[in-house]
Amino acid sequence: MKRILEVAIKTIKESGNILLNYIGEEKEIELKGISNLVTQVDKLSERHILKSIEENFPDHSILTEETGFINKNSEYTWIVDPLDGTTNYAHNFPFFGISIALIKNKEIILGLIYDPIRDELFYAIKNEGAYLNDRRIEVSKTESLENSLISFAFPYELSLEEKNFIPFINFSSRTHGIRRTGSAAIEIAYVGCGRLDGFWAKKLKPWDISAGILIVEEAKGKVTDFSGNNIDIHTDNILFSNGKIHQEMIKILNLGKIFIRNEKF
């Protein structure tokens, strides 16, 4: 694992430098949806990560956001998001990162999330804890939802019929505040280090959440679906928290209507 970690850290930081080299420059933007962007820098970053993995671990399978699944019939699969927060990046909004995870036989054993703007590397090794730039991290100790700061991610295709806004409104009146930065991976990492107390989202992809799942769990947090069930990297709805406010968040996520602050539900 030591060599795998060393290669992963070197690779993710080199890709971070690629992102930094192009920030502030005009981007070539393609649209996968009205708010689902991809730039040439996503592809450059992904190409670098793919090359590194294939040179160092040629027998490993790889799943990436842009290229898709490269199947080597291996017990190991790398899950790669070369640029999480592409819309932010395309607009020079400085909140984006890179996410890389390694799965062995369906179990996440390594997760890394790198914020090149702040030079913050979050990573976790299965059963060995979670770290921020080599400093051990843990989730917050916030005991109640009313004292929490939480965040969320909307799906690319918003739908009022799917009630995406109801949890946002209900949480807004019962917390210190809600944040939405546009980079799910970074926000999940913030749950792991205690900057946020919880995060929820629908319709994220494996490359958005795989590294973050391990980071939060190894930081002594909790990860489930909206019903409190165990999840995998393909789960449609996902909740991260410090564990202490988890049940309160589940309750509010499952409300079917808007309740004002003091209204009982």
Side-chain angles (χ1 to χ4, degrees):
M1 178 58 76
K2 181 180 178 182
R3 177 173 176 266
I4 291 175
L5 178 63
E6 288 174 349
V7 170
I9 289 175
K10 180 174 183 291
T11 301
I12 203 169
K13 288 196 168 185
E14 288 172 346
S15 278
N17 286 332
I18 291 172
L19 303 188
L20 292 178
N21 286 340
Y22 285 87
I23 195 165
E25 295 188 10
E26 187 173 346
K27 315 294 192 304
E28 297 173 13
I29 297 173
E30 300 173 21
L31 293 178
K32 295 188 282 186
I34 189 169
S35 60
N36 189 359
L37 282 60
V38 61
T39 72
Q40 82 275 23
V41 188
D42 293 68
K43 297 175 182 179
L44 287 172
S45 174
E46 182 170 289
R47 216 171 290 145
H48 176 75
I49 296 168
L50 283 173
K51 182 181 178 190
S52 177
I53 294 171
E54 289 173 339
E55 285 179 352
N56 287 281
F57 311 108
D59 298 329
H60 290 191
S61 299
I62 310 172
L63 173 64
T64 75
E65 180 173 10
E66 306 306 331
T67 301
F69 188 41
I70 302 172
N71 187 3
K72 302 288 186 68
N73 295 313
S74 171
E75 63 178 345
Y76 292 97
T77 300
W78 294 85
I79 314 281
V80 177
D81 189 342
L83 175 46
D84 183 73
T86 298
T87 301
N88 288 348
Y89 186 79
H91 289 272
N92 300 314
F93 183 74
F95 207 91
F96 52 84
I98 303 165
S99 178
I100 299 176
L102 178 61
I103 292 178
K104 181 180 181 182
N105 295 327
K106 298 185 178 181
E107 181 178 51
I108 306 168
I109 62 170
L110 178 66
L112 306 93
I113 296 171
Y114 183 52
D115 176 352
I117 289 286
R118 298 161 188 83
D119 192 25
E120 291 189 329
L121 175 64
F122 302 84
Y123 68 94
I125 305 165
K126 184 69 177 178
N127 298 323
E128 294 186 26
Y131 300 84
L132 168 53
N133 292 344
D134 297 322
R135 176 179 61 82
R136 191 77 175 254
I137 56 173
E138 290 187 3
V139 294
S140 74
K141 293 179 169 48
T142 303
E143 295 279 352
S144 64
L145 190 65
E146 66 180 3
N147 292 318
S148 70
L149 181 68
I150 62 177
S151 66
F152 75 108
F154 276 139
Y156 283 120
E157 304 301 329
L158 289 176
S159 168
L160 289 175
E161 290 73 21
E162 292 183 39
K163 302 178 180 177
N164 287 309
F165 293 94
I166 290 178
F168 172 77
I169 295 168
N170 284 325
F171 278 123
S172 292
S173 64
R174 291 170 172 83
T175 63
H176 281 174
I178 300 179
R179 302 293 179 258
R180 180 177 183 249
T181 65
S183 173
I186 298 293
E187 292 179 49
I188 294 167
Y190 280 12
V191 175
C193 72
R195 294 174 184 169
L196 290 168
D197 304 300
F199 170 86
W200 86 92
K202 290 182 179 180
K203 298 184 179 179
L204 293 182
K205 300 298 185 182
W207 44 82
D208 297 313
I209 61 174
S210 294
I213 289 171
L214 187 63
I215 290 169
V216 170
E217 290 181 339
E218 287 293 322
K220 302 182 180 179
K222 190 165 185 176
V223 186
T224 70
D225 67 11
F226 289 1
S227 298
N229 300 313
N230 293 334
I231 54 92
D232 62 32
I233 62 173
H234 301 287
T235 298
D236 181 64
N237 58 80
I238 192 161
L239 169 62
F240 298 80
S241 84
N242 66 358
K244 298 178 185 297
I245 64 169
H246 208 82
Q247 290 305 314
E248 286 185 274
M249 291 192 72
I250 286 174
K251 189 173 183 179
I252 288 181
L253 285 167
N254 286 285
L255 294 176
K257 59 176 280 191
I258 294 169
F259 289 82
I260 62 174
R261 181 186 294 270
N262 295 318
E263 187 178 356
K264 296 202 177 200
F265 48 78

